[in-house]
Each structure stands twice: as C-alpha cells, then as structure tokens.
Amino acid sequence: MSKEKRSHKAQKVIERMGKKLNRQVVGSLVACVHCGNCTDSCHYVLANPGDPTYAPAYKADRIRKFFKAHYDWTGRVFPAWVGAKSLYTDEDLEELKDTVFGKCTNCRRCTINCPMGVDYATFNRMARGLLVSVGVMPEGVAVVSKDQWEIGNQMGVLKEDYLDTLEWMSEELQGELEDPNAGIPIDKEDADIVYSINPREVKYDPRTIADAAKIFHQAGANWTMPSEGWDMTNFGLFSGDDDLGGAVARRLYEKVSELRGKKLVISECGHGYRSTRCEGQNWAQWDIDFVMESSVITMLNYIKEGRIKVDKTRNTTPVTFHDSCNNARSCGLTEEPRELLKLVCTDFREMYPNRAENYCCTGGGGAMSMSEYTPRRLKSAKIKADQLAATGAKIVVTSCHNCVDGLADCIKHYKLGMEVTQLVNLVANALVIEKKVTVPVAEPIAASDLQGRRILVTDDEPDFVTFVSTVLEDNGATVFRAYNAAEAMEIARREKPDLITLDISMPDKDGSEVFADIREDDILKRIPVCIITGQPELRKLIYDKPHRPPEGFVSKPVTEDGLLLNVKKLLKVAHHQPEGVRKQ
Amino acid sequence: MSNLLHFSETTLQEVALGIMAIVYITRLTWLMRFKAGKERQAATGLGDTTPRKGFIYSWANVAMPWGMESTRTKMFLYSQFVVFHLGVVAAIALSFIIPYAPQLLDSSTLVLVLQIATGAACLVGVIRIIRRMTDTYVKAISTPDDHFSLWLLTVWFAFAFLAVPNSTAGGEWHLLTYFILTAFFLIYVPFSKISHYLYYPFTRYYLGKSLGRRGVFPLRRVN
Ligand code: SF4
Ligand code: SF4
C-alpha cells in the first residue's frame, strides 16, 4: 500500500516515531535475536500457555516491524526477510493498541531477563505515547489523562475536596492524640519536608494521610502539604505521553520550590515514586534544587534516629511484601521496605521470587484504568495469586497504591482471603505514643457515633452485607439490607435513609442505574450515596452520569476502620471521640 | 593448492572483511547518530552501586548464568549458547590460521580443540534449528533471516569441522566450501541478525548504566 493510501493517523505515528527514538531505544529495537529467552519471564505468557501473542518478543515485534520498515535500512531493503511491515490503516493502530496497552503492563521483568539487554518495556511505552498522540488509546487512559491535564490530578479530586479531607484528617489526628497542634500544616514555607500523595489516598484511603501525619507529628518533623501541585502520581508514565509526564512533574517541583521546601517526600506509590523521583526531571528537562525521598526511607530513618518509637508486637499477623515493579526494577527500592517491615512486624514472610524478580501485581502500567482488558488482567493474575498463597501470610504489604488495587482485585478474584495494606499503616499502628498525663474525667459513656443514623446497605453478596451491617449496627446505626436493585429502591423510597451504600455490579440491575434512579428521584436525590465496589475500574459508569457524583467511593476489600471513616465522613460525624468513649 | 582455493583463502576473505568493516562502520555511525537519553535525577538505591558498576555487571552478565532467572532456570539453553559462540570463535580463528599460520595446525591438540568446538557448535546448531521450527513461541517470532542465519552458521560449522585438519588429501571441496561460506558469512552478517554482537555492548552498556544509577544492577536476590 502506498504512502498516499496510509491513514492520516498511521502516517503521524510513523513520522512521530522518528522524534522519539534515542540511542537506547534504537539499540533495543535492533538487538533482539529472537532467542525466546524472555518468554516465560512474562506473567501474561505464564497465564496463557501456548499463546505466542503474549510473548515479550512477539509483542515487541509489533513495534519493531514498523520501526524496521521506516528507520532501519535492512527493513527498507529486505522487508519480508527481516520481518519489517509498515502501519497503514486505523485498524492496524487498533491492533497495536491491543498489544501495547492490553497485553503488557510495562513491568520490565522481561527487560532484566534479556541476555541482549533489550528494554522492551521502554519502547512499549514509546509506542503507547505514539498512539496517544493520535488519539488511539483505551477510554480509561483518555479519561485519566484528561483529569490530570485539566484538574491537576489523575482522579479528578477537586481542590476543595482535597483540603476538606486534609482538614478532616487533621481533626482526626488532633482528637486521637489529644493535641491541638497535631494537624496537617498546609503551604507552610521553609519546611524541611513537603509531603506529596496519590489522589487515591484522598478519594479512597484517607487513613493513609492521617497515618503519615501521625508519624510526622510524632517525629517532630517540620513538614507541610501543598494546597496545589500535591499529586505525585503521573499518568504520563503509563500513557507514554512525555509532555503530560513533564507538565505533571513540573507542577510538583515548582510548588516545592515556591514553598522553599528542603525535601520532597513521596508517599508510598511505585509509579509515583518512579515518575517523580526518577523520570520527571528528564521529561520536564528540569533540574531541581531540593532532595526527593520515598516516605519508606523517611519512616525508616525516623526509627533509626530514635525520632519515633515502634512496638512490633502490635502487628503480629503474618505479612509478606510485594515489590512494586517501578520501585524494584526502575528505582532500586527493595531493601528499605524490608528493613522497615522487620522493625514493625513480628512475622514477615518473604515472597518468591522477590525484589527485582518479583512478578507484577498485574494492575501496573495503568491497567487498572483500562476496564476493557479486565478479564485478561485477572487471568494473568493467577501467577500473582499463586505467589501470594505460597507465602501463607494473611496480609500483603506493598509500597504502591496501584499495587494495592491490583492485589486487592487478584485476592478477591482468586478468593485468597488476604488483606492488602501499606507500610505507613503498619508503622502508624506500631507507633508508641507517649501520652500526656491527664486526670481521667469520669464521663458517662456517650451513645455510639452512628446512633440514630439510618443506613441502607446494598450489595448482592450476602456476606458483605452482613459484614457492613454488623459494623454499622455495632456503632449504633439502624441498618436496612438490600440484596438487589429492586429491593434497594423499594427500601430507599419507604425508609428515606440518611445514607445509601451501593455496589456497582448487581444481578438484576447495574448499580450505576440504581444510582441514576436515586439521583433522578426528587426525594431520594438529597441522600448521600457511597459506592462500595470490587471493580473500581467501573467508576466511569458512575462518574460519567450527568448527575451529581456520589459523595463517597470505596474499593473492596474494605476494613472495618476504613468503612467507619468513610461513613462518618459522609454523615459528617467526627470519627474521634474522647478516649473514655473510644470503641476499641 | 589450486589457484581458486588460494584466492578463496586470501583475497576473497580480505575483500569480504573489508566490506564487512565498511558496513559495520556505517551501521555504528547510524546508531550513534541517535542522541543518547540522559538521566538528570540523583542516583537512587542503597548507594552501593553506580552507573559504572551497573554497566560492568551488565557486560559481565553473559558469563553469569546465575544472574538472570531466564538463564538460571534454563541451563541447557545457556550451555547451548556457550557452545555455539565458542564454535563461532573457533571457526573465525580457523579462517585466519589456515591462510596465515597453517603451521599451528601441526599441533594435534589444537586440531582436536577446534574440531570439538566446531563439531559441538554444529550439533547445537541442529538443536537450535529444531527448536526454532517446533517451539510455538520461538517459531512465532522467527523471520526468514532468523532461520537462514541459523542454517548458514550450522552448515558453516560443519565445513569448518571438516576444514580443521587443512588437508587436501581427499580433495579441496570442503576447504573451498568453508572459505566461500566464510566470505559469504562476513558479507551477510552486517545485514542480518547475526550482527547482534555489534549492538550487544551498547544495549547492555546503556541498560547497565541506567540500572546501576538507579540501584537495580547488580541485582539483589534472596532465594
Ligand atoms: S528480547 Fe531478548 S530475550 Fe527476548 S527474544 Fe529478544 S533477544 Fe531474546
Ligand atoms: S514488560 Fe512485563 S508485561 Fe510487558 S512483556 Fe515484559 S514481562 Fe510482560
């Protein structure tokens, strides 16, 4: 087919490739000897035996083919002989999209297993960027990229929501420590530490923010959180869009400079750490004048320096550690988390293989945002599931928010009955807090936090309904149980509860449709709704609706504490109470 | 020795080597024209490794089968790699020994060593051909060049094996075929996947330098 017949997008992809090629990438594109050694280093291959289209070299060849056809003269002179083939149609681009987004998490495990040093993951990212530049990408990638470009963070968290959450967490902390100075300082200038987080923490897991704040406070740190430019994640790493990568990183660097912060501490997130600490300056072409550090290292140093004291006997459940691909294979962060874990837990069990040889959580490379590939992702997660099960641990710890979601999905799908948590939670739990001596005030036991609140719990899993209902009832709430959409609507109309919790996937009617029905009902539309789902990637179904978004969104698995935090926030009930009435 | 054999051993080889050198230089110049990506960030990792340590480790990787899971768990394939490449070294050395230092082949030990090296490499070549044609994954990624290069080398090893004694007692055909194949090989290499060894130092250097700076290389492993 001639150049004239090539689609506009295909032509642009080919032209733009020339601008993206550097010596490292070209080396990787020409050096593969098709030896097949990397084949079974990929979790997709292991989970799909006999299907060569998942093999790293096969996938790499989809990109290599058009590189050879246009940029390597062996391919121009003898195309069929060396396997060169150009891209012509938009269908060709769709096929390429399926490979580079849907069959690879850019985990780099094949890279470290290639004797030739071929770094497939790096040029797979380049190919993603080329497709994104012509608008060919999974919908989730488009949505998240747009949020990060326009709102400044990849989950579309509005500034007021972010500040509101910090304020709420500050109150939590002040209440818990009974110390009015134990808040979260915002935009404090000349602080030793500027703490940046993943928007997932604001949206689904604010407890990690409170835990980090508690640790900083106990360590007596001079720290702050920025009111803007606080998102250390960077979807540019996943989409291959260096412009987005650079813009996002620069936003964060500029804010730290503006506040004259001495050190940027990055909360536990693999891709956030890699993007901010290792790649951001390269994408942004920006040299910084402050130090950057993972919060794992910060916490470890606090213990080593005696700035905080921990009691490991508070974390006795057997734990294992999952190395995030970005931390382990691209940033060398493998030993510090283990050292820290051993200081705060009594029963740490290594996972095999580990460190740079660990398998991907299968949610990496932005896979959690590409719901069209979910079945494929969950199938490939079998490798991770087997690895997790073999540890015999009850909790898997990971220093990555993306991995938290990927692992939670894997655990749920393969019914492993494990919990996922992060180091910050374990450190906070193990903190030895020296309380000020106060004379106990004999107060009557107050009514439970949720006394008088009426909550409708909707989920098609009876066990889950029982769990949520029990937790809420133990805290004083009156709970109505619904196991399908019809029941939920009927009870909602009859009882007009103070809060509705809603699952997304239900057998009779999709949770997103129930949500729409609630929002369109003149009476019910005022009731706050909290989505509790095991498929966070389906959030688009809810957020794309032309209605006011849900007041809460929680991913399964849900802990008792996490559930209460969210429910109380939504009902505007302070989570903390005087020590005398705290529920243990 | 016939004029044809003499021509094949000397002039033909020199011309082929010249062509190979020109194409190699062109190829390397082409590669070097692409700008090398630069890393601005401060080093990560425990501080016990550096870009230098990283690329040295990366280069040494070829001799450390325990270093990568892909070689550690496939020792038979790794041994094939070693035997095959030793065969290449022996067959190339032979193409210089016969025309320029034939007296070395008076040593029966050297003859034996060269024959073992080329013979074993030929055998591995056959195993690799079978693998390339039957293994679902390898077959799916093989181009005509991959197949042809492997056949070429395997046949070349066979004739190198026959040529090692440098004897024309049974005729010159085996020596002639070996030298013509060598010349073809030299000219064909830069156009084919066999030129991978030209890129190898670069790919492993850049990967090693980057992963050394990032504290990943040398890899840490706890079994
Ligand atoms: S990427 Fe490396 S290991 Fe995989 S087939 Fe190519 S050369 Fe072999
Ligand atoms: S980068 Fe990871 S997911 Fe992608 S092909 Fe390599 S091993 Fe497989």
Side-chain angles (χ1 to χ4, degrees), chain A residues 31-39 56-57 64 113-118, chain B residues 141:
Chain A
C32 178
V33 288
H34 291 149
C35 65
N37 265 30
C38 55
T39 304
R64 197 169 274 126
N113 275 298
C114 169
M116 289 297 297
V118 170
Chain B
I141 53 176

Side-chain angles (χ1 to χ4, degrees), chain A residues 21-24 26-28 30-37 39-41 45 48-52 55 57-58 61 67 71-74 78 80-83 108-109 111-117 119 273-274 277-279 281-282 285-287 328-332 334-336 352-357 359, chain B residues 23 26-27 30-46 58 61-62 66-74 77 131-132 136-138 140-146 148-149 188 190-193 195-197 199-200 202-204 206-207 210-211 214-217 219-223:
Chain A
L21 293 172
N22 65 24
R23 202 176 300 155
Q24 285 91 330
V26 172
S28 284
V30 292
C32 178
V33 288
H34 291 149
C35 65
N37 265 30
T39 304
D40 47 16
S41 52
V45 175
N48 296 279
D51 184 347
Y58 185 90
D61 278 356
F67 162 78
Y71 293 97
D72 181 347
W73 55 268
T74 61
F78 320 106
W81 192 249
V82 296
R108 257 186 154 182
R109 197 168 191 276
T111 300
I112 62 153
N113 275 298
C114 169
M116 289 297 297
D119 191 359
Y273 184 59
R274 178 175 172 192
R277 175 69 179 80
C278 295
E279 317 286 0
Q281 290 180 75
N282 304 317
Q285 300 284 295
W286 189 277
D287 290 315
R329 277 189 281 275
S330 290
C331 299
T334 55
E335 304 314 302
E336 298 91 336
Y352 297 98
N354 52 57
R355 296 172 168 79
E357 291 193 345
Y359 285 105
Chain B
V23 185
T26 315
R27 206 79 181 125
W30 168 76
L31 180 63
M32 299 309 279
R33 272 210 337 255
F34 292 97
K35 258 176 69 182
K38 188 184 153 206
E39 303 220 281
R40 290 168 181 259
Q41 79 280 12
T44 44
L46 285 182
S58 184
N61 200 275
V62 67
W66 60 88
M68 282 191 306
E69 181 195 80
S70 62
T71 42
R72 189 166 65 238
T73 55
K74 297 186 206 95
L77 274 184
R131 178 168 177 259
R132 197 165 281 287
T136 317
Y137 298 101
V138 181
I141 53 176
S142 297
T143 61
D145 174 42
D146 292 318
F148 179 75
S149 299
Y188 180 67
F191 298 95
S192 78
K193 59 99 58 116
S195 59
H196 63 272
Y197 62 85
Y199 307 122
Y200 175 85
F202 291 92
T203 48
R204 290 228 64 100
Y206 285 115
L207 184 71
S210 168
L211 295 189
R214 290 165 181 238
V216 180
F217 272 5
L219 282 184
R220 283 183 190 84
R221 191 163 60 85
V222 174
N223 267 342

Side-chain angles (χ1 to χ4, degrees), chain A residues 38-39 41-45 54-57 59-60 103-111 120-122 124 325 329 360:
Chain A
C38 55
T39 304
S41 52
C42 176
H43 56 279
Y44 282 107
V45 175
Y54 286 100
K59 293 180 277 192
K103 290 185 169 176
C104 174
T105 56
N106 281 358
C107 78
R108 257 186 154 182
R109 197 168 191 276
C110 55
T111 300
Y120 165 50
T122 295
N124 192 63
C325 304
R329 277 189 281 275
C360 177

